[in-house]
Amino acid sequence: QRYAPPRTEVADLTPADALLAARPRSVVWACALMLASMAVGIVSLLPAVDPPMPGEPVAMTAIIWGLTLVVIAVELWIVRCIWQRRNWARWVMVALTLASLAVGVPVIAEDWTRAPLVAWLGIASSAASAIAMTLLLVGASARWFKGTTSLR
């Protein structure tokens, strides 16, 4: 017979394949820290936490909230991709985190006198993001994204 249906090989995972398929704890923690950082970022924008500056137009607040929601949506999608072991998403999140830190540090310094709670929230969010990126780039996480099974 010239045409045959495709066949699927079914077998148990080898120990090496099982190790590779298991999501390292460092990836779980990194994703949790990224979500926590986003939540802290949203809280820091609440009017009760960060009151608008005198004379600041209402439209500016709406624009800031709109942009924040777009950024959060993109970050959630990227975290989902990291969870699904998409290596490119890990590097995109590293780039976004570095950009956020570059912009955020001067803002934290500015907020320190105007709204100290916002500054502390910014520090907490930045620290969570930096720790998450470190977790994604070293050890078991790095091996998991590269697809290697070495236990070293």
Side-chain angles (χ1 to χ4, degrees), residues 46-144:
L46 294 175
V49 176
D50 186 14
M53 289 191 200
E56 183 177 342
V58 176
M60 180 60 98
T61 303
I63 290 170
I64 289 171
W65 268 97
L67 289 174
T68 299
L69 292 176
V70 169
V71 169
I72 293 287
V74 169
E75 286 182 347
L76 285 171
W77 175 66
I78 293 172
V79 169
R80 180 174 172 250
C81 291
I82 289 170
W83 188 260
Q84 295 173 339
R85 198 174 176 196
R86 307 285 192 264
N87 191 41
W88 62 266
R90 176 175 68 139
W91 292 106
V92 168
M93 188 58 90
V94 167
L96 288 175
T97 300
L98 291 175
S100 173
L101 291 174
V103 171
V105 170
V107 171
I108 290 170
E110 180 184 311
D111 284 341
W112 197 257
T113 55
R114 186 179 67 79
L117 178 59
V118 174
W120 280 110
L121 290 173
I123 290 169
S125 178
S126 297
S129 294
I131 292 168
M133 293 309 102
T134 302
L135 288 172
L136 286 177
L137 294 175
V138 298
S141 295
R143 289 189 298 274
W144 186 67

Coordinates of all heavy atoms in Angstrom, one line a residue, residues 46-144:
L46 N -2.6 54.3 42.2 CA -3.9 54.6 42.7 C -3.8 56.1 43.3 O -2.9 56.4 43.9 CB -4.3 53.6 43.8 CG -4.5 52.2 43.3 CD1 -4.8 51.3 44.5 CD2 -5.7 52.2 42.3
P47 N -4.9 56.8 43.0 CA -4.9 58.2 43.5 C -4.7 58.4 45.0 O -4.1 59.3 45.5 CB -6.3 58.7 43.1 CG -6.7 57.9 42.0 CD -6.1 56.5 42.2
A48 N -5.2 57.4 45.8 CA -5.1 57.4 47.2 C -3.6 57.3 47.7 O -3.2 57.8 48.7 CB -5.9 56.4 47.9
V49 N -2.8 56.6 46.8 CA -1.4 56.3 47.1 C -0.6 57.4 46.5 O 0.4 58.0 47.1 CB -1.0 55.0 46.6 CG1 0.5 54.8 46.8 CG2 -1.8 53.9 47.3
D50 N -0.8 57.8 45.3 CA -0.1 58.8 44.6 C -1.0 59.9 44.1 O -1.6 59.9 43.0 CB 0.6 58.2 43.3 CG 1.6 59.2 42.6 OD1 1.9 60.2 43.2 OD2 2.0 58.8 41.5
P51 N -1.3 60.9 45.0 CA -2.2 62.0 44.6 C -1.7 62.7 43.4 O -0.5 62.9 43.2 CB -2.3 62.8 45.8 CG -1.2 62.5 46.7 CD -0.7 61.1 46.3
P52 N -2.6 63.2 42.5 CA -2.2 64.0 41.3 C -1.5 65.3 41.8 O -1.9 65.8 42.8 CB -3.5 64.2 40.5 CG -4.6 63.8 41.4 CD -4.0 63.0 42.5
M53 N -0.6 65.7 41.0 CA 0.1 67.0 41.3 C -0.9 68.1 41.0 O -1.8 68.0 40.2 CB 1.3 67.2 40.3 CG 2.4 66.3 40.6 SD 3.8 66.9 39.7 CE 4.8 65.5 39.7
P54 N -0.8 69.2 41.8 CA -1.7 70.4 41.6 C -1.5 70.9 40.2 O -0.4 71.0 39.6 CB -1.2 71.4 42.6 CG -0.3 70.7 43.6 CD 0.2 69.4 42.9
G55 N -2.7 71.1 39.5 CA -2.7 71.6 38.2 C -2.5 70.6 37.1 O -2.5 70.9 35.9
E56 N -2.4 69.3 37.5 CA -2.2 68.2 36.5 C -3.6 67.9 35.9 O -4.6 67.7 36.6 CB -1.7 67.0 37.2 CG -1.4 65.8 36.2 CD -0.9 64.6 37.0 OE1 -0.4 64.7 38.1 OE2 -0.9 63.5 36.4
P57 N -3.6 68.0 34.5 CA -4.9 67.8 33.9 C -5.4 66.3 34.1 O -4.6 65.4 34.2 CB -4.7 68.1 32.4 CG -3.2 68.1 32.3 CD -2.6 68.3 33.6
V58 N -6.7 66.2 34.2 CA -7.3 64.8 34.3 C -7.0 64.0 33.1 O -6.8 62.8 33.3 CB -8.9 65.0 34.5 CG1 -9.5 63.6 34.6 CG2 -9.2 65.8 35.7
A59 N -6.9 64.5 32.0 CA -6.5 63.8 30.8 C -5.2 63.1 30.9 O -5.0 62.0 30.4 CB -6.6 64.7 29.5
M60 N -4.3 63.8 31.6 CA -2.9 63.2 31.8 C -3.0 61.9 32.6 O -2.4 60.9 32.3 CB -2.0 64.2 32.4 CG -0.6 63.7 32.7 SD 0.2 63.2 31.1 CE 1.2 64.6 30.8
T61 N -3.8 62.0 33.7 CA -4.0 60.8 34.5 C -4.6 59.6 33.7 O -4.2 58.5 33.8 CB -4.9 61.1 35.7 OG1 -4.3 62.2 36.4 CG2 -5.1 59.9 36.6
A62 N -5.6 60.0 32.9 CA -6.2 58.9 32.0 C -5.2 58.3 31.0 O -5.2 57.1 30.8 CB -7.4 59.5 31.3
I63 N -4.4 59.2 30.5 CA -3.3 58.7 29.5 C -2.4 57.7 30.3 O -2.0 56.7 29.8 CB -2.6 59.8 28.9 CG1 -3.6 60.6 27.9 CG2 -1.3 59.4 28.2 CD1 -3.0 61.9 27.4
I64 N -1.9 58.2 31.5 CA -1.0 57.3 32.2 C -1.6 56.0 32.6 O -1.0 54.9 32.4 CB -0.6 58.1 33.5 CG1 0.4 59.2 33.1 CG2 0.1 57.1 34.5 CD1 0.7 60.2 34.3
W65 N -2.9 56.0 33.0 CA -3.6 54.7 33.3 C -3.7 53.9 32.0 O -3.5 52.7 32.1 CB -4.9 55.0 33.9 CG -4.9 55.0 35.4 CD1 -4.8 56.1 36.2 CD2 -4.8 53.9 36.3 NE1 -4.7 55.8 37.5 CE2 -4.7 54.4 37.6 CE3 -4.9 52.5 36.1 CZ2 -4.6 53.6 38.7 CZ3 -4.8 51.7 37.2 CH2 -4.7 52.2 38.5
G66 N -4.1 54.5 30.9 CA -4.3 53.7 29.7 C -3.0 53.1 29.3 O -2.9 51.9 28.9
L67 N -1.9 53.8 29.3 CA -0.6 53.3 28.9 C -0.1 52.2 29.9 O 0.4 51.1 29.5 CB 0.5 54.4 28.9 CG 0.4 55.4 27.7 CD1 1.4 56.5 27.9 CD2 0.6 54.6 26.4
T68 N -0.4 52.4 31.2 CA -0.1 51.4 32.2 C -0.8 50.1 31.9 O -0.2 49.0 32.0 CB -0.4 51.9 33.6 OG1 0.4 53.1 33.8 CG2 -0.1 50.8 34.6
L69 N -2.1 50.2 31.6 CA -2.9 48.9 31.3 C -2.4 48.2 30.1 O -2.3 47.0 30.0 CB -4.3 49.3 31.2 CG -5.0 49.7 32.5 CD1 -6.4 50.1 32.3 CD2 -4.9 48.7 33.6
V70 N -1.9 49.0 29.1 CA -1.4 48.3 27.9 C -0.1 47.6 28.2 O 0.2 46.5 27.8 CB -1.2 49.4 26.7 CG1 -0.4 48.8 25.6 CG2 -2.5 49.9 26.2
V71 N 0.8 48.3 28.9 CA 2.1 47.7 29.3 C 1.8 46.5 30.2 O 2.5 45.4 30.0 CB 3.0 48.8 30.1 CG1 4.2 48.1 30.7 CG2 3.4 49.8 29.1
I72 N 0.9 46.5 31.1 CA 0.6 45.4 32.0 C 0.1 44.2 31.1 O 0.5 43.1 31.3 CB -0.4 45.7 33.0 CG1 0.2 46.7 34.0 CG2 -1.0 44.5 33.7 CD1 1.2 46.2 35.0
A73 N -0.8 44.5 30.1 CA -1.3 43.4 29.3 C -0.1 42.8 28.5 O -0.1 41.5 28.4 CB -2.3 44.0 28.3
V74 N 0.8 43.6 28.0 CA 1.9 43.0 27.2 C 2.8 42.2 28.2 O 3.3 41.1 27.8 CB 2.7 44.2 26.5 CG1 4.0 43.6 26.0 CG2 1.9 44.8 25.4
E75 N 3.1 42.7 29.4 CA 3.9 42.0 30.3 C 3.3 40.7 30.8 O 3.9 39.7 30.9 CB 4.2 42.9 31.5 CG 5.2 44.0 31.2 CD 5.6 44.8 32.5 OE1 4.8 44.7 33.5 OE2 6.5 45.5 32.4
L76 N 1.9 40.7 30.9 CA 1.3 39.4 31.3 C 1.4 38.4 30.2 O 1.6 37.2 30.4 CB -0.2 39.7 31.6 CG -0.6 40.4 32.9 CD1 -2.0 40.8 32.9 CD2 -0.2 39.5 34.1
W77 N 1.3 38.9 28.9 CA 1.5 37.9 27.8 C 2.9 37.4 27.8 O 3.1 36.2 27.6 CB 1.2 38.7 26.5 CG 1.4 37.9 25.3 CD1 0.8 36.7 24.9 CD2 2.4 38.1 24.3 NE1 1.3 36.3 23.7 CE2 2.3 37.1 23.3 CE3 3.4 39.1 24.2 CZ2 3.2 37.1 22.2 CZ3 4.2 39.1 23.1 CH2 4.1 38.1 22.1
I78 N 3.9 38.3 28.1 CA 5.3 37.8 28.1 C 5.5 36.9 29.2 O 6.2 35.9 29.0 CB 6.2 39.1 28.1 CG1 6.1 39.8 26.8 CG2 7.7 38.6 28.4 CD1 6.9 41.2 26.8
V79 N 5.0 37.1 30.4 CA 5.1 36.2 31.5 C 4.5 34.8 31.1 O 5.1 33.8 31.4 CB 4.5 36.7 32.8 CG1 4.4 35.7 33.9 CG2 5.3 37.9 33.3
R80 N 3.4 34.8 30.5 CA 2.8 33.6 30.0 C 3.7 32.9 29.1 O 3.9 31.6 29.1 CB 1.4 33.9 29.3 CG 0.7 32.7 28.8 CD -0.7 33.0 28.3 NE -1.2 31.9 27.7 CZ -1.4 31.7 26.4 NH1 -1.1 32.7 25.5 NH2 -1.9 30.7 25.8
C81 N 4.3 33.6 28.2 CA 5.3 33.0 27.2 C 6.5 32.4 27.9 O 7.0 31.4 27.6 CB 5.7 34.0 26.2 SG 4.3 34.4 25.0
I82 N 7.0 33.1 29.0 CA 8.1 32.6 29.8 C 7.7 31.3 30.4 O 8.4 30.3 30.5 CB 8.5 33.7 30.8 CG1 9.2 34.8 30.1 CG2 9.4 33.0 31.9 CD1 9.5 36.0 31.0
W83 N 6.5 31.3 31.0 CA 5.9 30.1 31.7 C 5.9 28.9 30.7 O 6.1 27.8 31.1 CB 4.5 30.4 32.2 CG 3.9 29.4 33.0 CD1 3.0 28.4 32.7 CD2 4.2 29.1 34.4 NE1 2.7 27.6 33.7 CE2 3.4 28.0 34.8 CE3 5.1 29.7 35.4 CZ2 3.4 27.5 36.1 CZ3 5.1 29.2 36.6 CH2 4.3 28.1 37.0
Q84 N 5.6 29.2 29.4 CA 5.5 28.2 28.4 C 6.9 27.9 27.7 O 7.0 27.2 26.7 CB 4.6 28.6 27.3 CG 3.2 28.7 27.8 CD 2.2 29.3 26.7 OE1 2.7 30.0 25.8 NE2 0.9 29.1 26.9
R85 N 7.9 28.4 28.3 CA 9.3 28.1 28.0 C 9.7 28.7 26.6 O 10.5 28.1 25.8 CB 9.5 26.6 27.9 CG 11.0 26.2 28.0 CD 11.0 24.7 28.1 NE 12.4 24.3 28.0 CZ 12.8 23.1 27.8 NH1 11.8 22.1 27.6 NH2 14.0 22.7 27.7
R86 N 9.3 29.9 26.4 CA 9.7 30.7 25.2 C 10.9 31.5 25.5 O 10.8 32.5 26.2 CB 8.6 31.6 24.7 CG 7.2 30.9 24.4 CD 7.3 30.0 23.2 NE 6.0 29.6 22.8 CZ 5.4 28.4 23.1 NH1 6.1 27.6 23.8 NH2 4.2 28.1 22.7
N87 N 12.1 31.1 25.0 CA 13.3 31.7 25.4 C 13.3 33.2 25.0 O 13.9 34.1 25.7 CB 14.5 31.0 24.8 CG 15.8 31.5 25.4 OD1 15.9 31.7 26.5 ND2 16.8 31.6 24.5
W88 N 12.8 33.5 23.8 CA 12.8 34.9 23.4 C 12.0 35.8 24.4 O 12.4 37.0 24.6 CB 12.1 35.1 22.0 CG 10.7 34.7 22.0 CD1 10.1 33.5 21.7 CD2 9.5 35.5 22.3 NE1 8.8 33.5 21.8 CE2 8.4 34.7 22.2 CE3 9.4 36.8 22.8 CZ2 7.1 35.2 22.5 CZ3 8.1 37.3 23.0 CH2 7.0 36.5 22.9
A89 N 11.0 35.3 25.0 CA 10.2 36.1 26.0 C 11.1 36.4 27.2 O 11.0 37.5 27.8 CB 9.0 35.3 26.4
R90 N 11.9 35.5 27.6 CA 12.9 35.8 28.7 C 13.7 37.0 28.4 O 13.9 37.9 29.2 CB 13.7 34.5 29.0 CG 14.8 34.7 30.0 CD 15.4 33.4 30.3 NE 16.3 32.9 29.2 CZ 17.4 32.3 29.3 NH1 18.0 32.2 30.5 NH2 18.1 31.9 28.3
W91 N 14.3 37.0 27.2 CA 15.2 38.1 26.8 C 14.4 39.5 26.6 O 14.9 40.5 26.9 CB 16.0 37.8 25.6 CG 17.0 36.7 25.9 CD1 16.9 35.4 25.6 CD2 18.1 36.8 26.8 NE1 17.9 34.7 26.2 CE2 18.7 35.6 26.9 CE3 18.7 37.9 27.4 CZ2 19.9 35.3 27.6 CZ3 19.8 37.7 28.2 CH2 20.4 36.4 28.3
V92 N 13.2 39.4 26.1 CA 12.4 40.6 26.0 C 12.1 41.2 27.3 O 12.2 42.4 27.6 CB 11.1 40.3 25.2 CG1 10.1 41.4 25.3 CG2 11.4 40.0 23.7
M93 N 11.8 40.3 28.3 CA 11.5 40.8 29.7 C 12.7 41.3 30.3 O 12.6 42.3 31.0 CB 10.9 39.6 30.5 CG 10.4 40.1 31.9 SD 9.1 41.4 31.8 CE 7.7 40.4 31.7
V94 N 13.9 40.8 30.0 CA 15.1 41.4 30.6 C 15.3 42.8 30.0 O 15.6 43.7 30.7 CB 16.3 40.5 30.2 CG1 17.6 41.2 30.5 CG2 16.3 39.2 31.0
A95 N 15.1 42.9 28.7 CA 15.2 44.3 28.1 C 14.2 45.2 28.7 O 14.6 46.4 29.0 CB 15.1 44.2 26.6
L96 N 13.0 44.8 28.8 CA 11.9 45.7 29.4 C 12.3 46.1 30.8 O 12.1 47.2 31.3 CB 10.6 45.0 29.3 CG 9.9 44.9 28.0 CD1 8.6 44.1 28.1 CD2 9.7 46.3 27.4
T97 N 12.8 45.1 31.6 CA 13.2 45.4 33.0 C 14.3 46.4 33.1 O 14.3 47.3 33.9 CB 13.5 44.1 33.7 OG1 12.4 43.2 33.7 CG2 13.9 44.3 35.1
L98 N 15.3 46.2 32.2 CA 16.4 47.2 32.2 C 16.0 48.6 31.8 O 16.4 49.6 32.4 CB 17.5 46.7 31.3 CG 18.3 45.4 31.7 CD1 19.3 45.0 30.7 CD2 19.0 45.7 33.0
A99 N 15.1 48.6 30.8 CA 14.5 49.9 30.4 C 13.7 50.5 31.6 O 13.8 51.7 31.8 CB 13.7 49.8 29.2
S100 N 12.9 49.7 32.2 CA 12.1 50.2 33.3 C 13.0 50.7 34.5 O 12.7 51.7 35.1 CB 11.2 49.0 33.8 OG 10.5 49.4 35.0
L101 N 14.1 50.0 34.8 CA 15.0 50.4 35.8 C 15.6 51.7 35.4 O 15.8 52.6 36.3 CB 16.0 49.4 36.1 CG 15.5 48.1 36.8 CD1 16.6 47.1 36.9 CD2 14.9 48.4 38.2
A102 N 16.0 51.9 34.2 CA 16.7 53.1 33.7 C 15.7 54.3 33.9 O 16.2 55.4 34.3 CB 17.1 53.0 32.3
V103 N 14.5 54.1 33.6 CA 13.5 55.2 33.7 C 13.0 55.3 35.2 O 12.8 56.4 35.6 CB 12.3 54.9 32.8 CG1 11.2 55.9 33.0 CG2 12.7 55.0 31.3
G104 N 12.9 54.2 35.8 CA 12.3 54.2 37.2 C 13.1 54.8 38.3 O 12.6 55.4 39.2
V105 N 14.5 54.6 38.2 CA 15.3 55.1 39.3 C 15.2 56.6 39.4 O 15.0 57.1 40.5 CB 16.8 54.6 39.1 CG1 17.7 55.3 40.0 CG2 16.8 53.1 39.3
P106 N 15.3 57.4 38.3 CA 15.1 58.9 38.5 C 13.7 59.2 39.0 O 13.5 60.2 39.8 CB 15.3 59.4 37.1 CG 16.1 58.4 36.4 CD 15.7 57.1 37.0
V107 N 12.7 58.5 38.6 CA 11.3 58.8 39.1 C 11.2 58.5 40.6 O 10.6 59.2 41.3 CB 10.3 57.9 38.3 CG1 8.9 58.0 38.9 CG2 10.3 58.4 36.8
I108 N 11.9 57.4 41.0 CA 11.8 57.1 42.4 C 12.5 58.2 43.2 O 12.0 58.6 44.3 CB 12.5 55.7 42.7 CG1 11.7 54.6 42.2 CG2 12.8 55.5 44.2 CD1 12.4 53.2 42.2
A109 N 13.6 58.7 42.7 CA 14.3 59.8 43.4 C 13.4 61.1 43.5 O 13.4 61.8 44.5 CB 15.6 60.1 42.7
E110 N 12.7 61.3 42.4 CA 11.8 62.5 42.4 C 10.6 62.3 43.3 O 10.2 63.2 44.0 CB 11.3 62.7 40.9 CG 10.3 63.8 40.8 CD 9.8 63.9 39.3 OE1 10.6 63.8 38.4 OE2 8.5 63.9 39.2
D111 N 10.1 61.0 43.4 CA 8.9 60.8 44.2 C 9.3 60.7 45.7 O 8.4 60.8 46.6 CB 8.3 59.4 43.9 CG 7.5 59.5 42.6 OD1 7.1 60.6 42.2 OD2 7.3 58.4 42.0
W112 N 10.6 60.6 46.0 CA 11.0 60.4 47.4 C 10.5 61.6 48.3 O 10.1 61.3 49.4 CB 12.5 60.3 47.5 CG 13.0 59.8 48.8 CD1 13.5 60.5 49.8 CD2 12.9 58.4 49.2 NE1 13.8 59.6 50.8 CE2 13.4 58.3 50.5 CE3 12.5 57.2 48.6 CZ2 13.5 57.2 51.2 CZ3 12.5 56.1 49.3 CH2 13.1 56.0 50.6
T113 N 10.6 62.8 47.8 CA 10.1 63.9 48.6 C 8.6 64.2 48.5 O 7.9 64.6 49.4 CB 10.9 65.2 48.3 OG1 10.7 65.4 46.9 CG2 12.3 65.1 48.6
R114 N 8.1 63.9 47.3 CA 6.7 64.2 47.1 C 5.7 63.2 47.6 O 4.7 63.5 48.2 CB 6.4 64.4 45.5 CG 5.0 64.8 45.1 CD 4.9 64.9 43.6 NE 5.0 63.7 42.9 CZ 4.0 62.8 42.8 NH1 2.9 63.0 43.4 NH2 4.2 61.7 42.2
A115 N 6.1 61.9 47.4 CA 5.2 60.8 47.9 C 6.1 59.6 48.3 O 6.4 58.7 47.4 CB 4.3 60.4 46.7
P116 N 6.6 59.6 49.5 CA 7.5 58.6 49.9 C 7.0 57.1 49.8 O 7.7 56.2 49.4 CB 7.8 58.9 51.4 CG 7.3 60.3 51.6 CD 6.3 60.6 50.6
L117 N 5.6 57.0 50.0 CA 5.1 55.6 49.8 C 5.2 55.1 48.4 O 5.6 54.0 48.1 CB 3.6 55.6 50.2 CG 2.9 54.3 50.0 CD1 3.5 53.2 50.8 CD2 1.4 54.4 50.4
V118 N 5.0 56.0 47.4 CA 5.2 55.7 46.0 C 6.7 55.3 45.7 O 6.9 54.3 45.0 CB 4.7 56.8 45.1 CG1 5.0 56.5 43.6 CG2 3.2 57.1 45.3
A119 N 7.6 56.0 46.3 CA 9.0 55.7 46.2 C 9.3 54.3 46.7 O 10.0 53.5 46.1 CB 9.9 56.8 46.9
W120 N 8.8 54.0 47.9 CA 9.0 52.7 48.5 C 8.4 51.6 47.6 O 9.0 50.5 47.4 CB 8.5 52.6 49.9 CG 9.4 53.2 50.9 CD1 9.2 54.4 51.6 CD2 10.7 52.7 51.3 NE1 10.3 54.6 52.4 CE2 11.2 53.6 52.2 CE3 11.4 51.6 50.9 CZ2 12.5 53.5 52.8 CZ3 12.7 51.4 51.5 CH2 13.2 52.3 52.5
L121 N 7.2 51.8 47.1 CA 6.6 50.9 46.2 C 7.4 50.7 44.9 O 7.6 49.6 44.4 CB 5.2 51.3 45.9 CG 4.1 51.2 47.0 CD1 2.8 51.8 46.6 CD2 4.0 49.8 47.5
G122 N 8.0 51.8 44.4 CA 8.8 51.7 43.2 C 10.1 50.9 43.5 O 10.5 50.1 42.7
I123 N 10.7 51.1 44.7 CA 11.8 50.3 45.1 C 11.5 48.8 45.2 O 12.2 47.9 44.7 CB 12.4 50.8 46.4 CG1 13.1 52.2 46.2 CG2 13.5 49.8 47.0 CD1 13.4 52.9 47.5
A124 N 10.3 48.5 45.8 CA 9.9 47.1 46.0 C 9.7 46.5 44.6 O 10.1 45.3 44.3 CB 8.6 47.0 46.8
S125 N 9.0 47.2 43.7 CA 8.7 46.7 42.4 C 10.0 46.5 41.6 O 10.2 45.4 40.9 CB 7.8 47.7 41.6 OG 7.5 47.2 40.3
S126 N 10.9 47.4 41.7 CA 12.2 47.3 40.9 C 13.0 46.1 41.5 O 13.6 45.3 40.7 CB 13.0 48.6 41.1 OG 12.3 49.6 40.5
A127 N 13.0 45.9 42.8 CA 13.8 44.8 43.4 C 13.2 43.5 43.0 O 13.9 42.6 42.6 CB 13.8 45.0 44.9
A128 N 11.9 43.4 43.0 CA 11.2 42.1 42.6 C 11.5 41.8 41.1 O 11.8 40.7 40.8 CB 9.7 42.2 42.8
S129 N 11.5 42.8 40.3 CA 11.8 42.6 38.8 C 13.3 42.2 38.7 O 13.6 41.3 37.9 CB 11.6 43.9 38.0 OG 10.2 44.2 38.0
A130 N 14.2 42.9 39.4 CA 15.6 42.5 39.3 C 15.9 41.1 39.7 O 16.6 40.3 39.1 CB 16.5 43.5 40.0
I131 N 15.3 40.7 40.8 CA 15.5 39.3 41.4 C 14.9 38.3 40.4 O 15.5 37.3 40.1 CB 14.8 39.2 42.8 CG1 15.6 40.0 43.8 CG2 14.8 37.7 43.2 CD1 14.9 40.2 45.1
A132 N 13.7 38.6 39.8 CA 13.1 37.7 38.8 C 14.0 37.5 37.6 O 14.1 36.4 37.1 CB 11.7 38.3 38.4
M133 N 14.6 38.6 37.1 CA 15.5 38.5 35.9 C 16.7 37.7 36.3 O 17.1 36.8 35.5 CB 15.9 39.9 35.4 CG 14.7 40.7 34.9 SD 13.8 39.8 33.6 CE 12.3 39.4 34.6
T134 N 17.2 37.9 37.5 CA 18.4 37.1 37.9 C 18.0 35.6 38.0 O 18.8 34.7 37.5 CB 18.9 37.5 39.3 OG1 19.2 38.9 39.2 CG2 20.1 36.8 39.7
L135 N 16.8 35.3 38.5 CA 16.4 33.9 38.6 C 16.2 33.3 37.2 O 16.5 32.1 37.0 CB 15.1 33.8 39.3 CG 15.1 34.0 40.8 CD1 13.7 34.1 41.4 CD2 15.9 32.9 41.5
L136 N 15.8 34.1 36.2 CA 15.6 33.5 34.9 C 16.9 33.3 34.1 O 16.9 32.6 33.2 CB 14.7 34.5 34.1 CG 13.2 34.5 34.4 CD1 12.5 35.5 33.6 CD2 12.6 33.1 34.2
L137 N 18.0 34.0 34.5 CA 19.2 34.0 33.7 C 20.3 33.0 34.2 O 21.2 32.8 33.6 CB 19.8 35.4 33.6 CG 18.9 36.4 32.8 CD1 19.5 37.8 32.9 CD2 18.8 36.0 31.4
V138 N 20.1 32.5 35.4 CA 21.1 31.6 36.0 C 20.6 30.3 36.4 O 19.4 30.1 36.5 CB 21.8 32.3 37.2 CG1 22.5 33.6 36.8 CG2 20.8 32.6 38.3
G139 N 21.5 29.4 36.6 CA 21.2 28.1 37.2 C 20.2 27.2 36.4 O 20.3 27.1 35.1
A140 N 19.3 26.6 37.1 CA 18.3 25.7 36.5 C 17.4 26.3 35.4 O 17.1 25.7 34.4 CB 17.4 25.0 37.6
S141 N 17.1 27.6 35.6 CA 16.3 28.3 34.7 C 17.0 28.4 33.3 O 16.4 28.2 32.3 CB 15.9 29.7 35.2 OG 15.1 29.7 36.3
A142 N 18.2 28.8 33.4 CA 19.0 29.0 32.1 C 19.1 27.7 31.4 O 18.9 27.6 30.2 CB 20.4 29.5 32.4
R143 N 19.4 26.6 32.1 CA 19.5 25.3 31.5 C 18.1 24.8 30.9 O 18.1 24.3 29.8 CB 20.0 24.2 32.5 CG 21.4 24.4 32.9 CD 21.9 23.2 33.7 NE 21.2 23.1 35.0 CZ 21.6 23.7 36.1 NH1 22.6 24.6 36.1 NH2 20.9 23.5 37.2
W144 N 17.0 25.1 31.6 CA 15.7 24.8 31.2 C 15.4 25.5 29.9 O 14.9 24.9 28.9 CB 14.7 25.1 32.2 CG 13.3 24.7 32.0 CD1 12.8 23.4 31.9 CD2 12.1 25.5 31.8 NE1 11.5 23.4 31.7 CE2 11.0 24.7 31.6 CE3 12.0 26.9 31.7 CZ2 9.7 25.2 31.4 CZ3 10.7 27.4 31.5 CH2 9.6 26.6 31.4

